Amino acid sequence: MRIDCPFCGSREIVEFSYLGDAGVQRPAPDAGSVFTDYVYLRDNVAGRHREYWYHGSGCHSWLVVERDTRSHEIFSVDYAHRETVR
Amino acid sequence: MRNSIFSLALNALSGHKHWQPTWRDAEPRAAYDVIIIGGGGHGLATAHYLAKIYGITNVAVLEKSWIGSGNVGRNTTIVRSNYLLPGNIPFYELSMKLWEGLEQDLNYNAMVSQRGVLNLFHSDGQRDGYVRRGNAMRLHGVDAELLDQAAVRKLYPFLDFDHARFPIQGGLLQKRGGTVRHDAVAWGYAKTASARGVDIVQNCEVRGFIVEDGQVVGVETSRGSIRAGKVGMAVAGASSQVAAMAGLKLPIESHVLQAFVSEGLKPLIPGVITFGAGHFYISQSDKGGLVFGGDIDGYNSYAQRGNLPVVEDVCEGGMALMPMIGRLRLLRSWGGLMDMSMDGSPIIDRTPISGLYLNAGWCYGGFKATPASGLSFAHLLATDTAHETAKAYRLDRFATGHMLDEKGQGAQPNLH
Ligand SMILES: Cc1cc2nc3c(=O)[nH]c(=O)nc-3n(C[C@H](O)[C@H](O)[C@H](O)COP(=O)(O)OP(=O)(O)OC[C@H]3O[C@@H](n4cnc5c(N)ncnc54)[C@H](O)[C@@H]3O)c2cc1C
Ligand SMILES: [Zn+2]
């Protein structure tokens, strides 16, 4: 598996660390039980999954990768922070 | 016929032509008292204890593939009860006791081998951690022995004791731990459950739930709809997918774990050894192959195969621990789907949906749990109350804060 980092180009998977589902949204601090769902519950899809990867052995960017969890085919790689540009 | 030395001799003398199938490959019926989804170790063990201990025999185990095709036939066969937390120790110790009597209970040879599990430590801090763990075990009546370097040398002289980075200082030994032939566990539980009337239905994938008045009353399958008084899920890596059919979201991610086996060798490694400075564990099968594994691949996966970096990492761990295996050839490697929970511990509980029960979150350590998991899940299905040893495995513990995080990693499934 390789990830095509928008800054560094195509790099081997060992250069990156995985954080998980990029779809979860941190609720407001006083949101109550919704916070439990945010921290602990996951869709855990078999198929297209948007997920966070960190390019620790490269440019140190946080990335959002869309990947098929059954085949590891990667459809898109973007910076996690929209304001980041190359 | 009961399996015994006489049945073996009789079959041998008649040219092995008269062996009967071990269990009945059943056709699904229209309705059951209890349906168990998933013909892995946990599902089949649940059926066995439901029938044997709780007298509930109108039961079906529905398996989408063949029984034993999942993790129960893919794991590295290690069983142990060397846990730290009070919520875990009694459960895994019950499991160990059930392993000790399993073959007599099932009248089936599962090659239960209490050859000892040794966890090595390589630093003072790690030793203190193992002292604490060993004490916790002994307080619960579980066997644990702390070995110094000399004692480990006596057991396993071939380890790299003076490794420049990870010198071996000693280890925590659980002598009653060991290995069990994994697929024989599936077949053995299938045998006794089937003999008591449980239907084991293969090639029967559950594709949805029949819900009436907010209550689960059956399942839709690839072989038609089947009704049931109660439905229990024991589908390991597919837990989130099956739960989603009932509109449930679980504190689980699916990850792939790989395992490896070398070419066959003469007897070399008498017990189970785990490396403390990396993730590597190894034992030798009775056929002679070295069976070993390491970390999960680390990202959500539904592919029952892993990637190369972990192969390299596992082999590096092996080389650091016992350089003598460097010239061995790998025979096979494979992967299985782990239901990694948010705190690294399992869930055996009712769900918010009446009629639906959950057995999931086994991570990469659920094989050793098979007997206790089956017994506890059967207890829950039969009595609607948690088994004495499984009270901590609640689904709502994530909301109430009663996590069982052995490794202290927090809500990060790929790190447990
Ligand atoms: C490589 C590897 C090494 C491991 N090593 C160890 C070890 O050394 N020690 C240890 O204790 N544990 C180990 N484990 C973990 C252990 O194997 C699992 O935690 C345990 O087997 C899971 O329970 P099970 O046996 O019921 O799962 P499985 O055997 O996976 O059973 C689940 C079944 O559900 C079926 N299923 C899924 N979806 C559906 C559906 N919709 N309808 C019908 N059926 C369905 C699947 O086909 C499968 O057969 C290891 C796992 C792997 C993969
Ligand atoms: Zn980069």
Side-chain angles (χ1 to χ4, degrees):
Chain A
M1 217 169 123
R2 295 176 75 85
I3 293 178
D4 197 0
C5 173
F7 191 83
C8 310
S10 171
R11 297 294 184 89
E12 219 191 317
I13 196 76
V14 290
E15 293 192 4
F16 302 83
S17 347
Y18 182 75
L19 184 66
D21 193 337
V24 289
Q25 291 290 329
R26 189 185 176 90
D30 56 356
S33 69
V34 189
F35 235 100
T36 310
D37 300 359
Y38 159 72
V39 178
Y40 296 109
L41 300 189
R42 296 292 177 268
D43 286 326
N44 190 21
V45 292
R48 283 187 180 225
H49 189 236
R50 278 166 48 79
E51 55 199 26
Y52 288 120
W53 288 84
Y54 174 64
H55 198 183
S57 305
C59 62
H60 289 209
S61 298
W62 277 100
L63 305 172
V64 172
V65 176
E66 188 178 7
R67 177 180 61 96
D68 192 316
T69 57
R70 295 162 303 184
S71 63
H72 306 321
E73 184 185 350
I74 290 176
F75 304 102
S76 66
V77 184
D78 286 315
Y79 295 116
H81 298 281
R82 234 176 295 138
E83 54 276 29
T84 314
V85 285
R86 191 178 160 151
Chain B
M1 194 198 310
R2 274 184 65 83
N3 291 326
S4 67
I5 186 80
F6 303 106
S7 74
L8 184 64
L10 215 68
N11 277 295
L13 291 173
S14 57
H16 291 296
K17 288 191 191 116
H18 303 289
W19 286 104
Q20 294 301 308
T22 303
W23 46 276
R24 201 165 38 84
D25 192 14
E27 292 294 315
R29 283 187 278 128
Y32 294 92
D33 292 341
V34 177
I35 283 178
I36 297 155
I37 312 173
H42 292 215
L44 293 164
T46 305
H48 164 77
Y49 294 111
L50 262 181
K52 176 163 181 187
I53 308 229
Y54 300 95
I56 301 175
T57 54
N58 185 18
V59 174
V61 178
L62 308 182
E63 165 56 46
K64 75 171 171 194
S65 180
W66 70 88
I67 64 163
S69 60
N71 295 334
V72 69
R74 292 166 185 266
N75 63 67
T76 40
T77 76
I78 301 167
V79 302
R80 55 186 174 84
S81 56
N82 53 0
Y83 279 71
L84 175 68
L85 299 178
N88 277 329
I89 302 177
F91 175 83
Y92 285 100
E93 179 56 14
L94 169 67
S95 216
M96 185 56 75
K97 293 208 171 95
L98 291 170
W99 283 123
E100 287 173 330
L102 185 86
E103 294 166 316
Q104 289 68 34
D105 187 19
L106 303 183
N107 177 234
Y108 201 74
N109 182 6
M111 293 163 73
V112 177
S113 162
Q114 293 182 287
R115 52 182 72 181
V117 174
L118 176 68
N119 299 142
L120 297 171
F121 54 80
H122 310 263
S123 68
D124 292 354
Q126 219 175 11
R127 181 200 54 222
D128 295 351
Y130 277 136
V131 168
R132 180 175 171 223
R133 177 180 297 256
N135 285 339
M137 289 163 64
R138 294 174 75 128
L139 283 172
H140 283 88
V142 184
D143 69 308
E145 272 172 63
L146 197 76
L147 304 187
D148 60 10
Q149 201 213 53
V152 176
R153 259 186 210 276
K154 242 173 126 181
L155 264 182
Y156 298 116
F158 51 77
L159 298 178
D160 190 0
F161 286 89
D162 305 315
H163 191 282
R165 284 174 72 198
F166 313 119
I168 295 168
Q169 292 192 1
L172 185 68
L173 176 67
Q174 185 182 20
K175 276 192 180 151
R176 287 162 62 240
T179 59
V180 182
R181 179 171 179 195
H182 51 197
D183 34 18
V185 173
W187 300 327
Y189 277 123
K191 168 181 176 279
T192 52
S194 178
R196 289 196 169 85
V198 172
D199 277 359
I200 294 163
V201 186
Q202 302 185 102
N203 300 310
C204 183
E205 182 181 3
V206 170
R207 294 185 175 158
F209 289 97
I210 307 172
V211 182
E212 285 170 9
D213 303 327
Q215 185 173 342
V216 167
V217 294
V219 291
E220 303 287 358
T221 79
S222 54
R223 298 177 72 175
S225 28
I226 310 174
R227 297 183 71 90
K230 291 176 178 176
V231 178
M233 296 170 44
V235 293
S239 295
S240 297
Q241 288 177 295
V242 175
M245 296 172 192
L248 278 180
K249 214 165 159 178
L250 300 179
I252 285 176
E253 284 181 3
S254 296
H255 288 259
V256 65
L257 177 67
Q258 307 190 51
F260 308 85
V261 63
S262 78
E263 58 191 329
L265 300 173
K266 288 184 178 171
L268 178 69
I269 303 178
V272 180
I273 310 172
T274 77
F275 186 37
H279 208 164
F280 178 82
Y281 38 89
I282 189 164
S283 65
Q284 185 167 20
S285 81
D286 291 354
K287 276 192 288 187
L290 302 189
V291 181
F292 56 96
D295 268 326
I296 54 176
D297 274 31
Y299 41 83
N300 289 41
S301 177
Y302 282 92
Q304 274 182 328
R305 61 194 146 71
N307 268 313
L308 290 171
V310 166
V311 180
E312 192 175 7
D313 187 62
V314 169
C315 292
E316 279 171 0
M319 285 301 288
L321 182 64
M322 41 179 88
M324 67 170 180
I325 61 175
R327 286 167 64 195
L328 266 187
R329 278 164 298 191
L330 264 190
L331 199 61
R332 284 182 293 130
S333 74
W334 61 92
L337 298 188
M338 313 283 75
D339 36 341
M340 299 298 298
S341 69
M342 282 284 173
D343 62 356
S345 293
I347 299 156
I348 303 177
D349 202 356
R350 289 180 282 189
T351 69
I353 304 167
S354 158
L356 184 63
Y357 299 75
L358 178 66
N359 174 313
W362 292 100
C363 302
Y364 46 79
F367 177 62
K368 70 174 91 70
T370 305
S373 165
L375 180 60
S376 306
F377 201 37
H379 184 92
L380 178 71
L381 284 161
T383 67
D384 266 310
T385 56
H387 187 268
E388 190 58 40
T389 62
K391 287 200 166 123
Y393 300 151
R394 297 173 63 111
L395 179 55
D396 68 1
R397 69 176 183 266
F398 301 93
T400 60
H402 295 86
M403 257 67 77
L404 279 170
D405 191 341
E406 284 269 337
K407 265 174 108 183
Q409 295 284 25
Q412 197 60 42
N414 63 338
L415 300 182
H416 285 295

